[in-house]
């Protein structure tokens, strides 16, 4: 299964991708997670990306395309992959098409998660992520352990730097201007399946799974 999860910040791409990894045994490729790892490692690419990420802007296309191109060539992507947060611009979608063509592959489906703006803000301000294992939680909708630590490994939870309300609003604007056109792009290719991302986490997952079973 070669899948793209599309949707605005906080739509649930990472949450759903992590559940699909367990179900399908294929990797999640999150450009956001890979860029945050580069920032943490203070690599030259990470240092450059940090400025864009802190303001809620996109990192330049050539940087993310380069990361994804390398990642898709790894062995664990042979049976498929879940792209989470990529592509995010029309040039990125064109580049993905080229990279997949070089590898003799094609996308199977693009699932777009639709969520109201107010709900997105609530989801992002309440999001917490385990600093040790990366598992995501929400203080209200998917609470961590009773001690306020990660339910899976007991690690300390962190609040993402770009989950401040002012940066969230900027990320939403960027989404509408630069990423939303991909809905039409993939609709025209007959790949887009839009689903109601306002449902609770497991209902969204069930809907994605039934879409993928029909592909
Ligand atoms: P990235 O990390 O991709 O952030 P994003 O797209 O803004 O999306 P989020 O990770 O914030 O949201 P999500 O949809 O994964 O939601 P989640 O599942 O966590 O990118 C960060 C930055 O990196 C970008 O701003 C940019 O600078 C750069 N970047 C990354 N990719 C790039 C690219 N391709 N090109 C250029 N730049 C790039 O859920 C959110 C919360 O809601 C969680 O707490 C969760 O528990 C909760 N939740 C999830 N589903 C539900 C539900 N159904 N009901 C209730 N709560 C729910
Ligand atoms: Mg995410």
């Amino acid at each position: 299964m070669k899948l793209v999860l599309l949707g605005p910040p906080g739509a649930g791409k990472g949450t759903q991708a992590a559940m699909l990894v367990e179900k399908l045994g294929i990797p999640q490729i999150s450009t956001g997670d890979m860029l945050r790892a580069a920032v943490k490692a203070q690599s030259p690419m990470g240092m450059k990306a940090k400025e864009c990420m802190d303001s809620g802007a996109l990192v330049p296309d050539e940087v993310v395309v380069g990361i994804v191109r390398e990642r898709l060539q790894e062995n664990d992507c042979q049976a498929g992959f879940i792209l989470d947060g990529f592509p995010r611009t029309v040039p990125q979608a064109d580049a993905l098409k080229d990279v997949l063509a070089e590898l003799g592959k094609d996308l199977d489906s693009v699932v777009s998660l639709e969520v109201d703006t107010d709900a997105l803000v609530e989801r992002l301000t309440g999001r917490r992520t385990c600093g040790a294992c990366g598992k995501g939680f929400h203080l209200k909708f998917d609470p961590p352990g009773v001690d306020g630590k990660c339910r899976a490994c007991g690690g300390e939870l962190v609040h993402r730097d770009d989950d401040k309300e002012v940066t969230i609003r900027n990320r939403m604007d960027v989404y509408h201007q630069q990423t939303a056109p991909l809905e039409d792009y993939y609709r025209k290719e007959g790949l887009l399946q839009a689903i109601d991302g306002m449902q609770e986490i497991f209902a969204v997952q069930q809907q994605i799974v039934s879409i993928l079973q029909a592909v």
Side-chain angles (χ1 to χ4, degrees):
M1 176 59 55
K2 294 170 289 304
L3 170 69
V4 168
L5 289 179
L6 199 61
K13 304 180 294 296
T15 303
Q16 296 300 328
M19 293 163 85
L20 289 172
V21 166
E22 303 228 327
K23 206 163 258 156
L24 305 177
I26 53 175
Q28 167 189 12
I29 302 180
S30 161
T31 40
D33 286 349
M34 291 158 101
L35 289 166
R36 277 184 290 280
V39 171
K40 204 171 170 188
Q42 298 190 314
S43 72
M45 188 265 281
M47 307 295 271
K48 275 193 220 145
K50 186 175 173 6
E51 210 174 303
C52 303
M53 296 171 82
D54 282 349
S55 70
L58 294 183
V59 172
D61 288 337
E62 59 274 19
V63 174
V64 278
V65 168
I67 297 177
V68 172
R69 179 189 294 276
E70 270 186 30
R71 183 66 185 88
L72 286 176
Q73 290 174 33
E74 286 177 31
N75 272 342
D76 63 337
C77 294
Q78 292 308 314
F81 47 80
I82 304 152
L83 283 167
D84 156 11
F86 180 93
R88 250 169 151 104
T89 63
V90 170
Q92 288 182 23
D94 288 339
L96 175 62
K97 215 187 272 179
D98 293 345
V99 171
L100 291 178
E102 284 163 25
L103 297 170
K105 291 179 178 165
D106 237 337
L107 286 178
D108 296 308
S109 183
V110 176
V111 172
S112 170
L113 303 172
E114 298 186 336
V115 178
D116 299 347
T117 304
D118 288 346
L120 294 173
V121 175
E122 188 182 15
R123 285 185 187 183
L124 292 176
T125 48
R127 170 166 59 188
R128 297 293 181 273
T129 309
C130 176
C133 75
K135 188 169 168 49
F137 298 96
H138 190 281
L139 296 179
K140 180 167 155 194
F141 304 122
D142 186 10
V146 277
D147 51 359
K149 296 196 174 165
C150 175
R151 270 201 323 258
C153 77
E156 294 292 335
L157 301 184
V158 292
H159 194 194
R160 249 169 66 175
D161 285 345
D162 59 349
D163 278 349
K164 298 185 217 72
E165 193 155 344
V166 57
T167 318
I168 291 172
R169 298 277 174 196
N170 197 19
R171 285 159 61 202
M172 305 245 179
D173 290 345
V174 168
Y175 181 83
H176 290 299
Q177 286 159 16
Q178 303 193 53
T179 309
L182 292 183
E183 291 168 27
D184 261 350
Y185 181 105
Y186 285 121
R187 192 173 289 116
K188 284 190 190 125
E189 303 223 331
L191 287 170
L192 191 83
Q193 298 269 9
I195 67 174
D196 177 10
M198 293 291 289
Q199 307 169 83
E200 62 91 20
I201 292 172
F202 288 96
V204 175
Q205 176 74 186
Q206 270 177 347
Q207 213 173 330
I208 297 177
V209 169
S210 53
I211 284 172
L212 300 185
Q213 279 165 349
V215 167

